[in-house]
Amino acid sequence: MTLPSSDEALQRLMIGNRRYVAMRPLHPRQNQTHRQAMLEGQHPFAAILSCSDSRVPSELLFDQGLGDLFIVRTAGHVISEVVVGSIEYAVFVLEVPLIMVMGHTQCGAVTSAVKGGDLPGSIAALAQKLDPVVASVRHQEGDILLNAIKANAVQTARDLVASSPIIAAAVEAGRLMVVPACFDLESSAVELLA
């Protein structure tokens, strides 16, 4: 199976999001025949690192079907060695041409970091991972939460490339594009960043 180019993969995602926004989803590749074909293996055309928030299901908001997207989700799309390894698998083994790092409005993890204060359990460690990005936008004009959410997506995209020789080599060779984005819960539209 031939995968699309990075630009074609991005276009496919954005066209699917426009269908979702217009409430005209096609629900592609979700029939019994396609489910049977998936038993032979997966060939996703993009990897998406997004937030665990239940309101941000990538397959739905990009109107994609079974086997189209390789999804990794963590609160605030915070990365760790395991997250990077999962994305590397999509790049090295599955040869996806596109990684999208997608934040979203009203992100609870980023909100916790912006508000600060005492947080229980490992939620504090999660918020601490987000503290540098919050500090980077603290004095910018506009809404600090939205600025932090967008800056977090941009920084996470950079961090993925910087932390992984596999991802960096694929980007440098022109086989992979890493794109930050933000999903707006109110409009349902995805905005590409930087």
Side-chain angles (χ1 to χ4, degrees):
M1 173 177 229
T2 303
L3 288 171
S5 70
S6 298
D7 288 329
E8 291 167 339
L10 182 58
Q11 181 180 20
R12 190 168 160 184
L13 284 179
M14 299 310 288
I15 288 170
N17 180 244
R18 285 196 290 275
R19 288 192 306 265
Y20 181 76
V21 169
M23 298 191 72
R24 293 196 172 124
L26 300 176
H27 305 290
R29 293 164 297 287
Q30 296 180 26
N31 59 32
Q32 181 63 25
T33 303
H34 191 71
R35 284 176 25 192
Q36 289 299 321
M38 290 289 92
L39 296 175
E40 296 176 23
Q42 62 173 320
H43 304 284
F45 70 87
I48 299 179
L49 172 58
S50 66
C51 186
S52 300
D53 191 300
S54 63
R55 301 168 292 178
V56 189
S58 297
E59 292 89 347
L60 295 179
L61 62 93
F62 287 112
D63 191 30
Q64 298 302 314
L66 298 170
D68 289 338
L69 303 176
F70 188 90
I71 308 296
V72 178
R73 295 173 73 170
T74 65
H77 57 74
V78 170
I79 62 173
S80 65
E81 185 177 8
V82 172
V83 169
V84 173
S86 297
I87 299 293
E88 286 177 338
Y89 179 85
V91 173
F92 186 75
V93 177
L94 301 175
E95 299 179 340
V96 296
L98 176 69
I99 298 170
M100 179 178 281
V101 176
M102 188 174 63
H104 67 93
T105 58
Q106 300 178 26
C107 179
V110 178
T111 299
S112 293
V114 168
K115 288 182 177 178
D118 291 332
L119 296 167
S122 294
I123 299 171
L126 173 66
Q128 286 174 347
K129 287 260 193 185
L130 296 165
D131 283 345
V133 78
V134 171
S136 76
V137 300
R138 182 116 4 232
H139 301 292
Q140 287 181 0
E141 289 188 27
D143 181 75
I144 187 171
L145 178 59
L146 185 58
N147 290 345
I149 287 165
K150 290 181 177 183
N152 188 39
V154 171
Q155 188 60 52
T156 301
R158 288 182 189 142
D159 291 346
L160 272 176
V161 177
S163 65
S164 170
I166 291 171
I167 295 171
V171 168
E172 190 171 319
R175 294 188 316 268
L176 177 68
M177 185 167 43
V178 181
V179 179
C182 184
F183 174 65
D184 186 296
L185 287 173
E186 188 173 337
S187 71
S188 296
V190 173
E191 173 190 2
L192 299 177
L193 306 172

